[in-house]
Amino acid sequence: MSATETSRGRRLHPAWIVAAVAFLALVGAAGFRAAPGVLMVPLQQEFGWSTTVLSAAVSINLVLFGLTAPFAAALMERFGIRAVTATALVLIGAGSALTVLVNQSWQILLTWGLLIGLGTGSMALVFAATIANTWFAKSRGLVIGILTAGSAAGQLVFLPFIAMLAQDPGWRQASLLIAAGALAVVPLVLKFLKNSPADVGVLPYGETAPEEGSAAPSAAEPESGRSSNAAVRALQVLKRASKVRTFWALVAGFAICGATTNGLIGTHFIPSAHDHGMAETTAAGLLAVVGIFDIVGTIASGWLTDRFNPRILLAVYYQFRGIGLLVLPLLLSATVQPSMIVFVVIYGLDWVATVPPTAAICRKTFGADGSVVFGWVFAAHQLGAAAAALGAGAIRDATGQYTYAWFGAAAMCTIAAVISATIRKDAAAREPQPVAAA
């Protein structure tokens, strides 16, 4: 029986089962993304550590989160998606569980920074792009949007419970919850997350078998095995991509994206709201609402990316985000006002809506190297997040408030909007394409 006949004989294409398990894996890996903002104040109260010290731990995490991503994409090509994903979830679980034993500041740098950074980096948004590019020949934008929403769903699932546990009985129990969430998905990954359509004898979803005598479509070919060394492969792709102007435009825009999401709102929104008298659980609830609308916004962005020019979508997303950050200092207060609800909804819709169009431009411009290129672009996202997390913490310690951090981020969003709008429409046609290794 041919691959096509096998595929047609199934009610549900295996690609959707893989996507569902990948979604759950992203949910499990996302628990820590919500944690720093909630746990920062309890750790300060218990150990007396400064905002800058804790921001440094988050920054290390974000740097490793980003720099691991392109190598993780290459490792997935070399060793398979399943093995890399399971290992990443174990690292996240170990790092979060070991956090309960810390009593010195360097130890939080090791757990929050090193272990969880490496784990979450291997489960970064490049994972969503790899799943979509490997298993889907159509609807890739929609699939990336759905998988990216898994991170938001993880924040939604964990954040209220982390906030409640951090207050009573304490932050250690909250850390153990994050560890349990990551480890619980590992058995599902090992059983159901197949590495490629060839493993189950089907073609990627939406692809038809080639006519007799014609070459097989490139999408059906596994991308693994091009290089026995995943690090060399990742660096080779970076060398090729660095010669293309579109790559640097995406790097600049995504660095600002990271700074204004994970770096600022994700890390410092709750401490900033606490500065204005808002209860931490209330602020955490607002971030959970961001997570709800992030799911809607990211899936909608994936649908739009399959139909409209992704560079224009990016420009619109960044500009709306900048407007939100510009008014945020005026909205923070001890109580939740209707204007804050409007901000939370709009910011949630925009949170990682930038991912599907960015991944689409990577795929269109760089072809089969698109997943690894997206890994490097995502590395810039996390470097921007790390710089913003550390910088905002330093601004808070120096001035006693976050206002200048919000205004600076708003200005950066306008820059990202301009950069995105000026990406060449015919980039894929005029820029050099990578040549696959023999």
Side-chain angles (χ1 to χ4, degrees), residues 130-322:
T130 301
I131 292 290
N133 291 338
T134 302
W135 280 90
F136 292 83
K138 72 175 184 179
S139 302
R140 283 188 179 128
L142 176 61
V143 172
I144 291 175
I146 293 172
L147 294 182
T148 302
S151 295
Q155 190 176 71
L156 171 63
V157 168
F158 287 102
L159 185 54
F161 296 104
I162 292 172
M164 288 188 292
L165 289 175
Q167 287 197 340
D168 184 20
W171 63 268
R172 289 176 176 82
Q173 286 73 17
S175 296
L176 292 175
L177 172 66
I178 297 167
L183 295 175
V185 190
V186 174
L188 293 175
V189 168
L190 293 176
K191 183 170 178 61
F192 296 109
L193 191 63
K194 306 301 182 182
N195 292 322
S196 72
D199 288 352
V200 290
V202 299
L203 294 173
Y205 176 77
E207 184 170 292
T208 57
E211 295 181 5
E212 187 174 349
S214 63
S218 59
E221 297 295 330
E223 295 184 6
S224 59
R226 294 186 183 184
S227 170
S228 60
N229 190 316
V232 170
R233 162 117 169 91
L235 293 172
Q236 287 173 340
V237 170
L238 175 62
K239 183 178 179 180
R240 289 195 290 267
S242 66
K243 300 175 183 178
V244 180
R245 190 174 71 177
T246 297
F247 172 75
W248 294 109
L250 293 174
V251 162
F254 230 42
I256 293 171
C257 178
T260 53
T261 52
N262 299 110
L264 281 176
I265 296 294
T267 304
H268 293 288
F269 177 81
I270 293 176
S272 180
H274 184 264
D275 286 345
H276 287 77
M278 185 180 292
E280 293 168 54
T281 51
T282 302
L286 290 174
L287 279 187
V289 176
V290 169
I292 294 173
F293 285 93
D294 182 13
I295 296 172
V296 177
T298 308
I299 294 174
S301 178
W303 184 86
L304 290 170
T305 299
D306 287 332
R307 291 162 175 78
F308 298 99
N309 191 324
R311 69 188 180 95
I312 300 302
L313 294 176
L314 285 176
V316 171
Y317 296 158
Y318 284 130
Q319 193 56 67
F320 269 100
R321 185 179 300 177

Side-chain angles (χ1 to χ4, degrees), residues 2-227:
S2 69
T4 304
E5 290 170 342
T6 302
S7 177
R8 288 175 179 171
R10 298 176 184 268
R11 286 180 174 272
L12 180 67
H13 193 285
W16 293 110
I17 298 174
V18 170
V21 176
F23 182 91
L24 292 176
L26 285 165
V27 170
F32 183 78
R33 298 267 59 82
V38 176
L39 303 184
M40 196 172 285
V41 174
L43 284 166
Q44 286 177 315
Q45 292 173 343
E46 179 168 338
F47 297 108
W49 298 333
S50 68
T51 304
T52 302
V53 167
L54 293 171
S55 297
V58 176
S59 294
I60 292 172
N61 173 280
L62 293 172
V63 168
L64 289 175
F65 189 8
L67 293 181
T68 304
F71 297 98
L75 285 169
M76 287 178 185
E77 293 179 0
R78 177 71 179 87
F79 297 106
I81 298 170
R82 178 170 51 194
V84 175
T85 303
T87 301
L89 289 167
V90 170
L91 281 174
I92 296 168
S96 188
L98 289 172
T99 300
V100 305
L101 304 177
V102 303
N103 53 36
Q104 297 183 41
S105 60
W106 67 267
Q107 294 168 340
I108 201 72
L109 300 181
L110 178 65
T111 55
W112 276 20
L114 181 62
L115 289 177
I116 299 179
L118 290 174
T120 53
S122 299
M123 283 293 298
L125 297 181
V126 68
F127 171 65
T130 301
I131 292 290
N133 291 338
T134 302
W135 280 90
F136 292 83
K138 72 175 184 179
S139 302
R140 283 188 179 128
L142 176 61
V143 172
I144 291 175
I146 293 172
L147 294 182
T148 302
S151 295
Q155 190 176 71
L156 171 63
V157 168
F158 287 102
L159 185 54
F161 296 104
I162 292 172
M164 288 188 292
L165 289 175
Q167 287 197 340
D168 184 20
W171 63 268
R172 289 176 176 82
Q173 286 73 17
S175 296
L176 292 175
L177 172 66
I178 297 167
L183 295 175
V185 190
V186 174
L188 293 175
V189 168
L190 293 176
K191 183 170 178 61
F192 296 109
L193 191 63
K194 306 301 182 182
N195 292 322
S196 72
D199 288 352
V200 290
V202 299
L203 294 173
Y205 176 77
E207 184 170 292
T208 57
E211 295 181 5
E212 187 174 349
S214 63
S218 59
E221 297 295 330
E223 295 184 6
S224 59
R226 294 186 183 184
S227 170

Side-chain angles (χ1 to χ4, degrees), residues 329-352:
L330 305 176
L331 307 180
L332 288 167
S333 65
T335 58
V336 179
Q337 303 297 324
S339 56
M340 175 58 77
I341 298 297
V342 173
F343 168 83
V344 165
V345 170
I346 293 175
Y347 215 85
L349 292 172
D350 200 325
W351 183 261
V352 284

